[in-house]
Amino acid sequence: MCSLHPDHPSFYANAFLHAPIGIAIASVHGEWAKVNRALCNMLGYDEDELSSLDYRTIARREDLLIADQLVQDMLEGGSTSCSLEVRYWHKSGRTVWISQHMSLIRDEIGNPQCFYIHFTDMTRQRQSNQLYSVITEHSLDIISFNSPEGVCLYISPAVRYLLGYYPEELVGKQHLDYVHPEDKAYLMGRTYSDTDKITYRYRHADGHYVWFETTMKFIRDAQGKVETTLAIGRDISERIKTEQALENSRRNLAEAQKIASIGSWEWDLLTNDVVWSEELMRICDIEPEVFCGKFEKLITYIHPDDLDMVLHNIKRAREGQPYNLECRILTSTSTDKYVHIQGIVIYDSHNKPYKMHGTVQDITERYKMQQLLEETIDRYTSLKKYNPDGIISLDKQGYIVSANPAAQTISGYSAQELVQLHFTDLLHPDDMIRALAWYEQFLQGEMTEREDLSIKHKDGRFINLLITPAPIIIRQQIVGCYIVVKDITDQKKTDELLRQSEKLSVVGQLAAGVAHEIRNPLTALKGFVKLMMYSEHSFPRYLAIMKEELERIELIVSELLMLSKPQTTNLRCMNLKEVLEEVQALIGTQAIMKNIDIQLDAEGDLFPVYCDPNQIKQVFINFIKNGIEAMNQEGVIRIHLSDDSECFTRVQIIDEGCGIPEDKLPRLGEPFFTTKEGGTGLGLMISQKIIEHHGGTMSIYSQLNVGTTVEVCFPTSDIQLEERRAVRA
Ligand code: ADP
Ligand code: MG
């Protein structure tokens, strides 16, 4: 161990050399004669360089002026030491701030000998001071130091710009006096931690309030007592405004989503975090408190049957396909909801998807409506497709718009062929005018009955249809018509057969009368022939009678034949009076057997009626026969023919028979209702049908034990109409 004694000659030299502060010994003129290591380090030169250098070359000129002044002062005996700060150029070129203390050393007689100077590097301190002032002087935030009671000790110049005060106006003032009354109570009531952040409104010099956010720090002394508070405040009016605007638009968005039933979502593909809007939670019946924003959880709300489809769509969306689908979601209630999901994928700069966002719309109502609509269409289609009756629709002009399969079967035409036709193209020529008038009436909204019409099948035969119209009303306007078409050809045939069988039974019954009637003239003829056989003379008188009797036989037989032959409807214009005369002749024989006189009285000669004479004859034979059968003794049956009005022709069959009890009246015309042994109970029914077919009406009036009147009215034939028909035919 080696230690140096103060008496050792190198002791002071060593201490000088290794002292931790910079030291220099300078001449009385100020030139450094000896420098130590610490000073060399401060300035970046080695000892030799520095000793040989004139320090003036490495000091700032303006600082040297002061230094020279002080040196001069000391030499002149003004002071023995001084302190000053000098900026030197470090060898590397940077500035070094040095605090320099100089003492003048004199010899025994007091002459100046040299200067002792020590140096302290102040660069770091200067820099932080400078930095500090730059911050406080130039900060856009307001920096202030305050007493623990909140009195302003210092406040930075930014206060002028942000709050309109000069700093000196606020120094010494209590800050709370400037805070908005509503916020003051809050600030005074809260507790503070050592570093804290508060938001409040501060009064501007011109009176309005400015939103501030201030970070506060308590600065404590060694005992932990708060010495001062440092506060850095910034104007957040803009931020508050933006936040409020943001909040407004967020609220508006939520409102809009609610009205439109559209929720929105955002899915971070990297973390699988999902954010939902409030509306989306509402759609899915999820309370915001229990909402878990993880994809794995949210996917469980999708209906299991739709899950694969949804996942497949997500995969495709990540590959660049549009994300757009409809699916069911499970809700806490028992009913599923239908939603429409749309979304887009966001890519990063490496073209990797990192986010998806989009919307979810509740389409349950729309979906249900759509299903209902589809169901209705299905029902409607089934009704048309499988209906055994034909259904065609017509537009207002009467053109066929659609036809169901049954209509195609009935008509023989395909739907394509039918839709090019006007409905009258199919009609039997005889029905044309009636059908047009009927359709016209229907379009005017008048109640129209079902109608019997004949149409021509594609194969040429005529078929009988019963048609029932139904208006097509769209927005309270008749735009066309559905017509339900029933093929009644078979039914008509049955009716015809029925009529025929009734007729045959009438014929059978008539036969007895006929036989009687024929036997009489035959007996007469036989007598005459016998007489003539034995005489050589001719007997013109007998021959005339014979001819008359033969003609009568011929008439009766031919009428009988005509009646018994099955006839198809053969409408033409007839004089009803002539028809009734023939009836009278035909039935006369039977009446005579019972001593009943059939009288025909007509109020005129011409009674044109559009009819099938055979059927009409059958009708009146029925009525007269009933009359005869109702009369037990001789009497009269009157056939009265008259005009009922301009349009109707009336026939009354008035008998003097037993009459019909009142309780039986409603049953007349019922098939097989008869009070007679061997009666068919079909006569009235068939007569009624025939009359209806001719557009006529039938009524029966009866008085017990006095007689019965059957009244029939037919539309009087319009001659003009007949002429038109003739032209068309
Ligand atoms: P049928 O003559 O075969 O009995 P109809 O249909 O012709 O069948 O008549 C039905 C019934 O109506 C008759 O059985 C009879 O009771 C009653 N009737 C019809 N016309 C008359 C009439 N002129 N006078 C009394 N009764 C009548
Ligand atoms: Mg009868």
Side-chain angles (χ1 to χ4, degrees), residues 620 623 649-652 691 697-699 710-714:
F620 288 106
F623 292 153
T649 303
R650 179 172 50 195
V651 188
Q652 287 166 306
I691 292 165
T697 57
M698 175 185 110
S699 338
V710 180
E711 188 176 296
V712 181
C713 286
F714 291 110

Side-chain angles (χ1 to χ4, degrees), residues 242-311:
T242 317
E243 274 171 9
Q244 274 170 353
L246 198 68
E247 175 59 22
N248 274 350
S249 46
R250 200 194 61 77
R251 241 201 330 263
N252 288 346
L253 182 69
E255 203 60 32
Q257 291 198 351
K258 201 166 166 187
I259 292 167
S261 286
I262 297 180
S264 58
W265 52 271
E266 203 175 295
W267 173 22
D268 186 326
L269 297 174
L270 306 177
T271 62
N272 264 349
D273 286 333
V274 184
V275 180
W276 276 16
S277 74
E278 269 173 41
E279 180 59 16
L280 184 48
M281 294 186 206
R282 199 199 58 73
I283 290 174
C284 296
D285 282 338
I286 302 174
E287 295 295 331
E289 303 80 57
V290 300
F291 174 76
C292 164
K294 277 287 172 193
F295 178 74
E296 298 78 11
K297 168 74 183 152
L298 296 174
I299 205 86
T300 61
Y301 291 110
I302 289 171
H303 194 288
D305 294 350
D306 292 346
L307 188 57
D308 282 348
M309 182 266 292
V310 173
L311 291 175

Side-chain angles (χ1 to χ4, degrees), residues 13-14 72 214 245 264 313 324 413 430-431 441 487 508 520 554 561 606 609 611 648:
N14 257 333
Q72 197 57 42
T214 297
S264 58
N313 266 275
N324 191 340
Y413 292 99
D430 286 350
D431 289 341
Q441 196 184 346
D487 184 351
N520 282 351
E554 197 186 3
L561 273 175
L606 194 63
V609 168
C611 65
F648 282 94

Side-chain angles (χ1 to χ4, degrees), residues 259-388:
I259 292 167
S261 286
I262 297 180
S264 58
W265 52 271
E266 203 175 295
W267 173 22
D268 186 326
L269 297 174
L270 306 177
T271 62
N272 264 349
D273 286 333
V274 184
V275 180
W276 276 16
S277 74
E278 269 173 41
E279 180 59 16
L280 184 48
M281 294 186 206
R282 199 199 58 73
I283 290 174
C284 296
D285 282 338
I286 302 174
E287 295 295 331
E289 303 80 57
V290 300
F291 174 76
C292 164
K294 277 287 172 193
F295 178 74
E296 298 78 11
K297 168 74 183 152
L298 296 174
I299 205 86
T300 61
Y301 291 110
I302 289 171
H303 194 288
D305 294 350
D306 292 346
L307 188 57
D308 282 348
M309 182 266 292
V310 173
L311 291 175
H312 178 69
N313 266 275
I314 291 174
K315 187 170 164 273
R316 278 165 33 111
R318 294 178 74 152
E319 290 161 6
Q321 300 289 320
Y323 186 55
N324 191 340
L325 58 99
E326 287 179 6
C327 69
R328 280 165 294 173
I329 51 169
L330 305 171
T331 62
S332 54
T333 59
S334 57
T335 48
D336 296 338
K337 279 191 176 176
Y338 292 85
V339 291
H340 178 198
I341 308 179
Q342 277 180 297
I344 52 168
V345 179
I346 312 285
Y347 299 87
D348 63 14
S349 52
H350 306 293
N351 215 17
K352 264 186 71 168
Y354 76 97
K355 205 161 99 177
M356 270 182 85
H357 60 78
T359 58
V360 175
Q361 185 175 15
D362 184 352
I363 53 162
T364 313
E365 283 307 309
R366 197 186 81 193
Y367 195 87
K368 280 189 189 153
M369 287 299 290
Q370 199 173 319
Q371 275 197 326
L372 203 67
L373 190 71
E374 276 168 19
E375 218 171 89
T376 313
I377 292 172
D378 284 351
R379 278 172 199 273
Y380 163 78
T381 318
S382 307
L383 178 71
K384 276 184 78 172
K385 194 166 167 190
Y386 303 109
N387 203 313

Side-chain angles (χ1 to χ4, degrees), residues 13 51 235 300 315 352 389 414 424 440 504 520 576 593 673 692 696 709 718 727:
S51 326
D235 178 354
T300 61
K315 187 170 164 273
K352 264 186 71 168
D389 292 337
S414 70
T424 51
E440 187 62 29
L504 286 175
N520 282 351
L576 197 56
M593 287 208 305
F673 170 71
E692 273 173 20
T709 300
D718 175 353
V727 169

Side-chain angles (χ1 to χ4, degrees), residues 502 506 509 622-623 625-626 629 676 679-684:
E502 165 70 2
V506 172
Q509 289 170 40
N622 273 335
F623 292 153
K625 240 170 58 62
N626 279 345
E629 283 158 3
K676 296 166 201 164
T680 61
L682 293 171
L684 285 181

Side-chain angles (χ1 to χ4, degrees), residues 631-643:
M631 286 163 68
N632 291 324
Q633 62 213 47
E634 53 175 30
V636 178
I637 293 180
R638 219 151 63 80
I639 305 174
H640 183 76
L641 182 59
S642 60
D643 286 327

